[in-house]
């Protein structure tokens, strides 16, 4: 079943990129300008999401650096890494479109992401998967929180609808990564509970900081 799900999602990625290449215009298009209040809500979302995707991209880069010689794991890690690259491109485009100030701490997110990815991979395949499980749990919850906030806004315009669709697509991919990690023995990692707790808390702290700095 997971293999079928992956195949379906893989075929969707290219179609998604085409539909996300520009803000869609529909019969119910609303091209009004964002209000200042809406910008104050949306800008931190875009900044933290770009930062999060930077971190995720480098986590998988670190995992591949350590586990890339494993012929069974490499294709799986590269598939997830490629999806994170797509996510990062989407949010980087949104940073430019909305003139959002990127996080000033991007070099830290890059180094931290690679260190977490490589460090857990050095502990073994199961620990690397436990890292993915923990990270994607927090990110899935984070994206759901953002979607709830966006859906509470009245009279959403095209830009807000596009942001919601982008976040929802990325959330679905992150939850798929979570399921893949669980299916590949994430919960068999040594000290799984402790490792998961530490990584989750680190992710939550990074989210709080990236929204602001």
């Amino acid at each position: 079943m997971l293999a079928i799900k992956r195949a379906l999602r893989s075929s969707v990625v290219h179609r998604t990129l085409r539909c996300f290449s520009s803000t869609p215009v529909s019969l119910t298009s609303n091209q009004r300008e964002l209000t200042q209040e809406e910008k104050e809500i949306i800008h931190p979302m875009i900044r933290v999401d770009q930062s999060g995707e930077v971190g995720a991209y480098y986590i998988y880069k670190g995992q591949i650096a350590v586990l890339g010689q494993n012929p069974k794991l490499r294709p799986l890690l590269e598939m997830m890494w490629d999806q994170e690259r797509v996510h990062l491109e989407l949010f980087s485009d949104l940073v430019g479109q909305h003139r959002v100030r990127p996080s000033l701490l991007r070099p830290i997110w890059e180094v931290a992401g690679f260190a977490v990815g490589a460090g857990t991979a050095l502990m073994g395949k199961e620990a690397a998967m436990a890292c993915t499980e923990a990270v994607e749990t927090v990110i899935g919850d984070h994206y759901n929180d953002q979607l709830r906030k966006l859906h509470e806004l009245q009279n959403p315009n095209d830009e807000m609808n596009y942001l919601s669709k982008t976040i929802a697509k990325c959330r679905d991919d992150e939850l798929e990564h979570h399921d893949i990690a669980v299916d590949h023995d994430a919960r068999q990692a040594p000290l799984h509970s402790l490792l998961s707790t530490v990584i989750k808390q680190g992710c939550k702290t990074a989210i709080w900081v990236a929204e602001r700095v």
Side-chain angles (χ1 to χ4, degrees):
M1 181 63 71
L2 181 59
I4 294 173
K5 184 193 295 184
R6 271 194 226 121
L8 289 173
R9 284 183 180 274
S10 179
S11 68
V12 167
V13 167
H14 299 292
R15 296 199 302 271
T16 301
L17 281 174
R18 288 198 297 271
C19 75
F20 276 126
S21 62
S22 61
T23 303
V25 177
S26 68
L27 294 177
T28 58
S29 176
N30 183 342
Q31 300 184 31
R32 69 170 179 80
E33 295 290 326
L34 291 169
T35 67
Q36 185 59 36
E37 180 181 1
E38 288 166 345
K39 289 180 181 179
E40 290 173 359
I41 293 172
I42 288 172
H43 283 201
M45 287 185 180
I46 296 173
R47 176 165 50 250
V48 70
D49 290 350
Q50 184 197 39
S51 300
E53 297 301 344
V54 167
Y57 178 89
Y58 278 88
I59 284 174
Y60 287 110
K61 185 174 183 178
Q63 290 181 346
I64 290 173
V66 175
L67 298 173
Q69 298 305 312
N70 186 314
K72 293 183 180 179
L73 277 182
R74 187 177 184 95
L76 188 66
L77 293 174
E78 286 186 336
M79 182 274 289
M80 295 190 285
W81 190 27
D82 188 58
Q83 286 184 326
E84 299 299 350
R85 176 188 58 77
V86 172
H87 298 174
L88 180 54
E89 290 175 355
L90 289 170
F91 283 112
S92 294
D93 287 345
L94 284 166
V95 163
Q97 176 186 336
H98 289 270
R99 298 183 180 179
V100 175
R101 175 184 60 76
S103 172
L104 301 176
L105 302 179
R106 176 164 179 157
I108 293 177
W109 308 139
E110 293 178 359
V111 172
F114 188 90
V116 169
T120 53
L122 286 168
M123 296 169 62
K125 181 203 79 172
E126 293 81 5
M129 291 296 150
C131 171
T132 296
E133 177 199 12
V135 170
E136 304 298 21
T137 296
V138 174
I139 298 306
D141 290 343
H142 166 70
Y143 281 149
N144 279 331
D145 288 341
Q146 288 189 335
L147 288 171
R148 280 191 288 270
K149 290 179 183 177
L150 288 170
H151 292 162
E152 289 171 359
L153 298 176
Q154 302 297 314
N155 189 29
N157 70 354
D158 291 347
E159 292 174 314
M160 294 161 66
N161 287 330
Y162 176 70
L163 178 59
S164 292
K165 290 178 181 178
T166 302
I167 291 173
K169 171 65 177 69
C170 293
R171 176 207 56 195
D172 290 348
D173 287 345
E174 308 297 2
L175 294 180
E176 182 195 15
H177 298 174
H178 170 278
D179 293 345
I180 290 171
V182 172
D183 286 344
H184 285 77
D185 302 324
R187 292 172 185 171
Q188 304 304 314
L191 301 175
H192 172 268
S193 180
L194 176 61
L195 182 63
S196 179
T197 298
V198 170
I199 292 173
K200 286 178 180 177
Q201 187 55 54
C203 289
K204 291 174 183 177
T205 300
I207 287 170
W208 189 88
V209 172
E211 286 179 337
R212 296 161 173 81
V213 183

